[in-house]
Amino acid sequence: MAEEEQVVIKRNKQVILKRYPEGLPKEDDMEVTSSAKLKLPDGYGGILLKNLYLSCDPFQRALMRQVTPSGGAPFHCCTIDSPLFGYGVSKVLDSGHPDFKQGDLVWGITTWEEYTLLPKPETLIKILHTDVPLSYYAGILGMPGMTAYAGFYQLCNPTKGENVFISAASGAVGQLVGQFAKLSGCYVVGSAGSKEKVELLKEKLGFDDAFNYKEEKDLKAALKRCFPQGIDIYFENVGGKTLEAVLLNMRQFGRIAVCGMISQYNVDEEEGVRNLMQLVSKRVRMEGFNCLDHLHKYSEYLDFVLPHIRQGKIAYVEDIVHGLDSAPSALVGLFLGRNVGKQLIHLSD
């Protein structure tokens, strides 16, 4: 592309990491600032993106550290004075890559900036269905949706009539797992951290029952009350005391899909888990996973979920703030339980 045709961004607002958080992240661990002029360099094989929506996800806390998480983490850690990064929905403004052209809509990993120069865009996924809200590609049609689909159907193998429990059930992933379980004919209970979220689960998302874990003095008893016959499938988002209580309430040959453990993300030393012998005595299978291992099934997932969305059989609750100035507060709020549904940052239409 000729120089005079190139897109030139004169000012680029961004959210950078000012210091590594200790414990819970704070807003002043981040800073909203602006960078200098931005354009696609000559001969550059990447692309220039305009970010439309940014996603707040718990895994981002693990990347706000000096040392990359162990176990083959798919992303490197954020560096001081550099933009945060995570999933987002974007529009291609300029491209030096043969697979992308101006005007393409995409979702995938991007930086927390108004505009992003992406050197290796091969991991981005093009958006082909625009009859649904674009924000959905940071949620139900993006990473959270694939996580729910892979974890529930691939790992848990649900059967009609089984009992399903989901922790952090009103979040980006949990709300979908619950609805997928109902579509599969299961009995579904979720836990959440407020009365508002409990009502949301039962009244809007179709859960059979739900409870506020903060009001339960004995989680083991709460689960026994909800599941007198025990739990067949547990979709794990929390860890800690919740997992310990679930293990005591699992049925024989139960399945536990470990999606995350948000109770452990902000502690200096992770807690140990008791009652693991229940896995042996009850022959329970407990397995961790990452949606990146299942992205080859993305077209299959779209074929499954899009008709349900269009027919109104699946709802998706979003909590959207506007502008990068709101981004630090939105990310911090994720760990304080302030969000109701999928937390997003809207930057541009």
Side-chain angles (χ1 to χ4, degrees):
M1 182 176 290
E3 178 68 24
E4 62 270 21
E5 297 176 339
Q6 282 189 323
V7 176
V8 178
I9 307 302
K10 295 181 179 179
R11 177 177 174 273
N12 184 28
K13 185 180 284 189
Q14 53 188 194
V15 178
I16 64 172
L17 183 67
K18 286 302 296 178
R19 61 172 174 267
Y20 296 111
E22 296 181 5
L24 279 168
K26 299 178 287 295
E27 291 184 39
D28 60 7
D29 292 328
M30 299 162 268
E31 181 182 354
V32 180
T33 184
S34 294
S35 67
K37 184 171 70 174
L38 191 66
K39 70 175 183 177
L40 202 69
D42 291 335
Y44 189 70
I47 59 177
L48 175 62
L49 295 173
K50 179 178 183 178
N51 295 315
L52 309 179
Y53 288 93
L54 299 177
S55 174
C56 291
D57 295 293
F59 82 86
Q60 290 172 284
R61 174 62 182 91
L63 304 180
M64 298 168 76
R65 304 177 188 274
Q66 287 181 281
V67 181
T68 299
S70 61
F75 311 117
H76 61 79
C77 283
C78 301
T79 55
I80 299 299
D81 292 330
S82 295
L84 277 68
F85 59 91
Y87 284 93
V89 179
S90 311
K91 181 178 181 179
V92 178
L93 293 186
D94 204 351
S95 176
H97 194 283
D99 293 341
F100 298 90
K101 63 181 186 302
Q102 285 185 355
D104 281 346
L105 294 169
V106 296
W107 73 268
I109 292 294
T110 187
T111 51
W112 276 32
E113 305 176 272
E114 291 177 316
Y115 302 92
T116 297
L117 268 178
L118 201 61
K120 296 180 179 180
E122 291 85 0
T123 60
L124 294 177
I125 297 176
K126 290 185 181 180
I127 294 172
L128 303 179
H129 304 276
T130 56
D131 60 322
V132 294
L134 278 179
S135 60
Y136 278 15
Y137 287 92
I140 186 173
L141 298 178
M143 181 274 289
M146 268 307 301
T147 299
Y149 181 73
F152 186 62
Y153 287 108
Q154 303 299 313
L155 271 68
C156 295
N157 266 332
T159 301
K160 184 178 180 180
E162 287 192 310
N163 296 331
V164 178
F165 176 56
I166 304 151
S167 55
S170 67
V173 175
Q175 60 173 299
L176 292 174
V177 176
Q179 292 179 87
F180 294 167
K182 290 304 298 178
L183 289 172
S184 301
C186 298
Y187 178 78
V188 183
V189 177
S191 64
S194 72
K195 180 180 178 181
E196 178 187 8
K197 293 178 181 179
V198 167
E199 291 176 351
L200 176 73
L201 293 174
K202 294 193 289 186
E203 296 175 10
K204 184 177 179 65
L205 300 175
F207 282 57
D208 294 292
D209 202 355
F211 62 87
N212 182 351
Y213 70 90
K214 295 178 181 177
E215 295 179 350
E216 300 291 344
K217 296 181 179 179
D218 186 337
L219 285 175
K220 176 188 172 184
L223 291 171
K224 185 67 175 178
R225 181 181 73 237
C226 294
F227 298 102
Q229 304 303 315
I231 300 168
D232 295 294
I233 293 172
Y234 173 44
F235 201 93
E236 165 70 301
N237 292 306
V238 171
K241 302 301 181 185
T242 299
L243 177 57
E244 291 184 350
V246 167
L247 288 169
L248 295 172
N249 282 276
M250 291 297 295
R251 298 183 70 183
Q252 285 192 357
F253 305 106
R255 287 86 72 204
I256 300 175
V258 184
C259 174
M261 294 188 176
I262 197 169
S263 70
Q264 305 302 299
Y265 294 164
N266 298 300
V267 296
D268 293 329
E269 186 173 345
E270 294 181 3
E271 298 173 349
V273 177
R274 298 176 300 176
N275 306 327
L276 288 174
M277 191 61 192
Q278 297 291 318
L279 300 175
V280 179
S281 61
K282 295 178 180 176
R283 283 83 89 199
V284 172
R285 177 167 53 84
M286 182 174 172
E287 183 176 352
F289 72 103
N290 190 304
C291 83
L292 297 177
D293 298 327
H294 301 270
L295 280 180
H296 61 283
K297 292 183 175 290
Y298 182 62
S299 60
E300 172 189 303
Y301 171 60
L302 290 183
D303 290 341
F304 163 77
V305 78
L306 279 170
H308 290 307
I309 294 173
R310 290 167 178 151
Q311 296 165 21
K313 293 182 178 179
I314 288 181
Y316 198 61
V317 180
E318 299 173 312
D319 191 333
I320 302 177
V321 300
H322 298 275
L324 275 177
D325 290 324
S326 303
S329 174
L331 184 59
V332 170
L334 199 67
F335 300 99
L336 300 175
R338 290 200 299 248
N339 62 301
V340 179
K342 172 60 189 173
Q343 184 67 71
L344 296 171
I345 303 155
H346 173 243
L347 301 186
S348 178
D349 293 321

